[in-house]
Amino acid sequence: MPVLRSVRERFGAERSLEGVRVGACLHITAETATLMRALAAGGAEVALSAANPFSTQDDVAAALVGDGVVVRGVHGEGRSEYEAHLAALVAWGPQLALDDGADLVGGLHRAGVGDGLLGATEETTTGLVRLRAMERDGTLRCPVVAVNEAITERAFNDRYGTGQSALDGILRATHVLLAGRTVVVLGYGWTGRGIALRARGAGASVVVCEVDPFRALEARMEGFGVMPALDAAERGDVFVTVTGAPKVLTRQHFERMKDGALLANAGHFDVEIDLEALVELATGGVRDVRPLVQQHVLADGRRLNLLAGGRVVNLAAAEGHPPEVMDMSFALQALTVERLVREPRVLEPGVHAVPPETDREVARLKLASLGVEIDALTPEQQDYLHSWAP
Ligand code: ADE
């Protein structure tokens, strides 16, 4: 993660985060550990709790504890353990919150300490949906920087990071061949685009289901099949939900699916596949056929295979986004923390964009780390592009 490394080296020299308590509710992965170390190099006190009960890499958690970071999270923890870890992080009293799904900012506000925060950052689309709802209700009491919406985050993390790692999770869990299968992607945001792109690259026929007409049109013009989910239910071999909305695949869909269908979710929460309905329908029983595959046997003998319990498949069955893309989003996170510390209380409570110059700087550093050089506009071109004269 060369971009984050360069930020970490500067932080180490400047120590501008000295003594600041930074609480993070993020997936506990090797990439997150690199971010935690960068913040600690800047002098911050850092505490981390898991953003998902199934995404924690236990060896990474242990290594961070060895570095003096307070870490709460264990792979496969239950709901109550997850909540206890989050509550302990809230009680620790962070001055800044790094969030992935808005659970930490929500917890700090419920504890009545939201207005004491210097600010927060948010890593996912789902978290931003919640934070914007808080902003609309007037309950958001601190500035939140929407790291997820920066160009160097969304277009790369979501499209290439989730695009590849969601398929990686499906393949690690099942060992199926995608070539020749029909992959149904439900949701054609950045992540859906990435998954569709990579599935096509692996030789699958791809069908996209969307509610947004622009996105649906884009998917069609990209050459994907586009149809309602009920129609796609009959055709698909592999289903991947990535909409952020609840109950995207329901009983009606399960009833139409082919024997052997694989069901995976790549959205942040495990709400997109109606798990209750799936279990109800499985009158023939539910059994574990591989470590992360639960087979649901319907009354007529058809078998529907649920991956990773419907949890975010790229983190629960694989290792999440690879470091090459997390490098950019976590560099943005680190630079945003620095800004919120250096310019306390400049931003009003509410959701704010990452400044375009920070975004561009991260892109520039990433290109440099890849050894890629690009052209610059000549003065004549600049004049032309900034003038209205013919
Ligand atoms: N979100 C998705 N992939 C991730 C990763 N590798 N580390 C932390 N958060 C992530």
Side-chain angles (χ1 to χ4, degrees), residues 26-27 29 31-32 100 123 314-315 319-322 326 330:
L26 297 173
H27 300 292
T29 64
E31 292 74 29
T32 298
D100 190 329
E123 180 72 17
N314 64 329
L315 282 145
E319 293 169 66
H321 303 159
M326 291 313 292
F330 281 170

Side-chain angles (χ1 to χ4, degrees), residues 25-381:
C25 180
L26 297 173
H27 300 292
I28 303 177
T29 64
E31 292 74 29
T32 298
T34 311
L35 171 62
M36 297 296 106
R37 286 177 172 161
L39 298 174
E45 286 178 41
V46 190
L48 172 65
S49 84
N52 182 296
F54 281 86
S55 60
T56 300
Q57 297 168 4
D58 290 334
D59 51 345
V60 170
L64 274 176
V65 171
D67 285 356
V69 177
V70 179
V71 184
R72 294 189 184 86
V74 62
H75 188 90
E77 64 194 13
R79 186 80 218 162
S80 60
E81 229 173 340
Y82 173 83
E83 281 166 8
H85 289 153
L86 191 63
L89 182 58
V90 169
W92 181 72
Q95 294 166 281
L96 270 144
L98 310 192
D99 227 340
D100 190 329
D103 278 352
L104 178 56
V105 172
L108 289 161
H109 279 72
R110 276 191 295 281
V113 293
D115 44 10
L117 290 171
L118 292 174
T121 61
E122 175 51 57
E123 180 72 17
T124 60
T125 310
T126 295
L128 284 170
V129 168
R130 291 167 133 196
L131 292 162
R132 289 214 163 90
M134 286 174 75
E135 187 178 28
R136 274 196 306 278
D137 291 354
T139 49
L140 186 62
R141 310 301 298 268
C142 68
V144 179
V145 177
V147 168
N148 178 255
E149 289 175 354
I151 296 172
T152 45
E153 146 85 40
R154 173 160 274 192
F156 298 94
N157 241 21
D158 293 3
R159 180 169 39 185
Y160 304 117
T162 316
Q164 175 174 301
S165 62
L167 293 189
D168 185 19
I170 292 168
L171 298 180
R172 288 193 202 194
T174 62
H175 198 48
V176 297
L177 182 73
L178 291 176
R181 282 190 157 82
T182 298
V183 174
V184 178
V185 181
L186 299 113
Y188 198 67
W190 284 108
T191 39
R193 289 181 180 109
I195 294 168
L197 189 68
R198 294 300 178 237
R200 173 162 64 192
S205 306
V206 177
V207 169
V208 169
C209 305
E210 240 310 330
V211 294
D212 179 288
F214 297 124
R215 289 178 177 182
L217 193 56
E218 185 187 331
R220 183 78 188 99
M221 296 218 175
E222 271 297 319
F224 300 124
V226 177
M227 64 187 71
L230 276 178
D231 296 336
E234 291 170 5
R235 306 191 189 193
D237 300 301
V238 181
F239 295 83
V240 193
T241 54
V242 64
T243 67
K247 298 197 179 172
V248 176
L249 289 177
T250 63
R251 185 186 183 104
Q252 283 178 294
H253 304 96
F254 306 142
E255 279 170 343
R256 294 178 172 216
M257 286 180 185
K258 293 195 256 187
D259 180 34
L262 304 179
L263 313 181
N265 166 50
H268 186 80
F269 288 116
D270 58 348
V271 296
E272 306 206 18
I273 301 173
D274 186 346
L275 301 176
E276 229 170 88
L278 186 58
V279 171
E280 265 170 33
L281 210 55
T283 50
V286 179
R287 56 185 185 214
D288 293 331
V289 287
R290 289 173 65 95
L292 287 162
V293 185
Q294 275 184 323
Q295 194 164 81
H296 293 70
V297 184
L298 309 196
D300 61 3
R302 269 177 302 145
R303 294 158 299 178
L304 304 185
N305 298 299
L306 176 69
L307 273 51
R311 293 186 187 276
V312 57
V313 73
N314 64 329
L315 282 145
E319 293 169 66
H321 303 159
E324 289 86 344
V325 287
M326 291 313 292
D327 190 18
M328 290 188 278
S329 47
F330 281 170
L332 288 171
Q333 292 272 8
L335 294 173
T336 303
V337 167
E338 181 186 37
R339 173 176 170 223
L340 290 168
V341 171
R342 286 212 162 145
E343 301 167 12
R345 320 229 175 262
V346 168
L347 292 178
E348 295 287 316
V351 178
H352 300 269
V354 170
E357 56 282 8
T358 307
D359 209 1
R360 195 164 290 116
E361 175 66 1
V362 167
R364 204 185 54 72
L365 289 169
K366 189 74 195 171
L367 280 172
S369 79
L370 295 169
V372 177
E373 292 178 16
I374 58 172
D375 295 318
L377 290 172
T378 63
E380 187 187 349
Q381 287 169 329

